Amino acid sequence: MNKEEMAGHSACPCGSRLQLEECCLPRISGQAPAGSAEALMRSRYTAYVLGRADYLAASWHPSTRPPQLSVSGDIEWSGLEVLACQSGSATDSRGRVEFIARYRQQGRSGQVHENSRFVQEQGRWFYLDGDLKTVVSGRNAPCTCGSGKKFKKCCGK
């Protein structure tokens, strides 16, 4: 199923267990704002999965948004795990979300582990920036696919 066909036919990639059109798609299509920093982070992950650079740019705070933003078509996003949320509710002006996003690129597994900062302005949440966590790699390191096995016994075969 291609990215366009995904809408209406599958669970939301963000891991919420809701259908895409009930979860992140209304945010990505501009029909409903994110109600929290975590909801925005989840919809941004889904935008990466769907290749929606327009939404990623629109949801990135203008003070930190890069001038050019593209989404790599050779990355296959394979899962999102939210580790922690600090503040970021509808009544907060700032929030933090720590997450791990797993992917495969050119047959190799990888992950992005980030502690992201969000800001709410005039009732709208924006991604501000984030601190990437160092990922231990190598054949004896835990596999980045999240299986719990060592890399050499899993994706490193």
Side-chain angles (χ1 to χ4, degrees):
M1 183 178 306
N2 67 34
K3 292 176 183 179
E4 291 78 26
E5 295 170 330
M6 185 180 272
H9 293 88
S10 64
C12 191
C14 81
S16 67
R17 297 195 176 120
L18 296 172
Q19 293 296 305
L20 176 61
E21 69 274 2
E22 298 170 353
C23 190
C24 290
L25 195 58
R27 293 180 191 98
I28 293 169
S29 64
Q31 297 171 345
S36 67
E38 180 180 353
L40 180 64
M41 190 278 310
R42 287 181 176 278
S43 67
R44 286 177 54 82
Y45 171 81
T46 299
Y48 275 104
V49 172
L50 299 176
R52 294 288 305 269
D54 59 329
Y55 178 74
L56 294 168
S59 61
W60 203 315
H61 195 271
S63 69
T64 57
R65 181 185 320 137
Q68 296 280 327
L69 184 63
S70 64
V71 180
S72 176
D74 68 340
I75 294 177
E76 180 184 332
W77 294 97
S78 55
L80 174 68
E81 181 181 358
V82 175
L83 303 175
C85 297
Q86 295 175 332
S87 302
S89 71
T91 59
D92 295 317
S93 61
R94 296 192 173 270
R96 285 182 171 264
V97 180
E98 182 180 357
F99 68 90
I100 296 175
R102 293 182 173 81
Y103 64 89
R104 290 191 61 80
Q105 185 176 27
Q106 299 175 344
R108 301 194 69 171
S109 294
Q111 68 182 26
V112 175
H113 183 173
E114 183 174 302
N115 190 354
S116 299
R117 288 181 285 278
F118 297 85
V119 61
Q120 183 176 199
E121 293 179 351
Q122 299 177 351
R124 185 170 169 210
W125 282 101
F126 292 94
Y127 170 77
L128 193 57
D129 58 19
D131 297 320
L132 290 173
K133 305 272 185 167
T134 303
V135 177
V136 177
S137 61
R139 291 184 46 77
N140 287 317
C143 191
T144 56
C145 76
S147 68
K149 298 178 184 176
K150 287 185 179 183
F151 180 76
K152 68 182 178 185
K153 298 281 187 177
C154 191
C155 294
K157 290 183 181 180

